[in-house]
Amino acid sequence: MNANPSRQPHPAEWTETQSLLPSAERDLPAGRHQFHKEQMMAQIHEDLRTATATATATRGTPVKRPNPFLRRTILLPAMAFALAGAVVGGLALTAAGGGADDGKTALATGPALTTRIGTADAKGAPRLLDRISLAAATTSAPTPHQGQYVYIASKVASTYYREDGDDSKVVSDQLHSRQVWSSLDGKDGWLIEAGQTSDKGITLASKVAPAGAYNTLAALPTDPDTLLQRIYRESNAHRDAEVPRDQAAFVAIGDLLTESYPPAELGAALYKAAAKIPGVVAVDDAADATGRHGVAIARENPADGERTEWIFDKKTLQFLGERTVVVKTVTGSHFKVGTVTFTSAITERGIVDANKQLPGQAS
């Protein structure tokens, strides 16, 4: 993905890229489909929102409709986030000064996020992805060394179907800030997310390397065909039955690109690989969570009528963020066409010398 010292970033979903990592995590429990997509380190964003929604369900919290594609990594089972120091699927979350159950967790109560749906162009996707790949390959990015951390700041928001007795409606949480630090192996880090963690944040610790960890990304093949074959193999092995094979592969690539800092050569290869997936389209206009407009590379999930969009600056082709938009009415869905079920915008991205250190800050 295009490196951006002052910005860069989920939901799509992937119950897939596990074996792109040197680990052996298992698929999520059956109840995971009730919650929104999140990611650990590179994807823990959605994981925490999912856990928070579940942990407060008895208080009338928003309940996400069944979603056939949850992001791969580690989605937290019910109540996991509320337990300081709990270890789930190899991921430990330890609150510093309070966690999701300390009374500070914000419930989604705002009006549903909506947007204008951009026009999709299947023929334009290969050409746009070729340009994006070239821009990514020529972007100058620092090469981190052992002991350093990847830092990513973003703005995010999600939409849910909220059930509270007889009062059921679609609501969105407020656009809020998120800061993630991740060691190069992805096994150590820190998260601060407004309304989801305490002001001081929580420790992130994993026994296995997440898919978005820098070292994991750096070890992936950079030949587009070889890379795509591997993505198809791994995503197919871990995906839900309802998830189309091509959609799982598209989401898997998105998960390797968002809230992470892939080496320039790998970023370019991932875009070239995405161009080979059937159903991928170019979108003439899309806006990230902060309202920055750009062009997008997207793919619609026919099962739920939602389109996952990777958004890029129209001139520089720098990655701006990601969103998921309802583009088709599906029987049983509570979401209208034009609803934004997830939106993100990367505001800063960089390499720092220590956990919790900010870019430009002295060690």
Side-chain angles (χ1 to χ4, degrees), residues 164-183:
D164 189 4
D166 295 331
D167 182 19
S168 299
K169 59 184 177 180
V170 175
V171 295
S172 296
D173 53 15
Q174 192 172 43
L175 183 68
H176 58 278
S177 62
R178 171 181 169 81
Q179 295 173 285
V180 178
W181 288 261
S182 175
S183 60

Side-chain angles (χ1 to χ4, degrees), residues 4 35 65 72 83 101 120 145 246 256 284 336 338 353:
N4 181 351
F35 317 108
R65 83 294 189 194
R72 159 92 212 136
L83 304 178
D101 60 345
H145 57 74
D246 291 329
L256 293 180
D284 65 342
K336 297 179 179 179
D353 293 328

Side-chain angles (χ1 to χ4, degrees), residues 192-214:
I192 301 174
E193 182 165 359
Q196 307 298 318
T197 70
S198 69
D199 293 340
K200 293 182 179 179
I202 59 173
T203 296
L204 301 176
S206 178
K207 295 180 180 179
V208 295
Y214 184 88

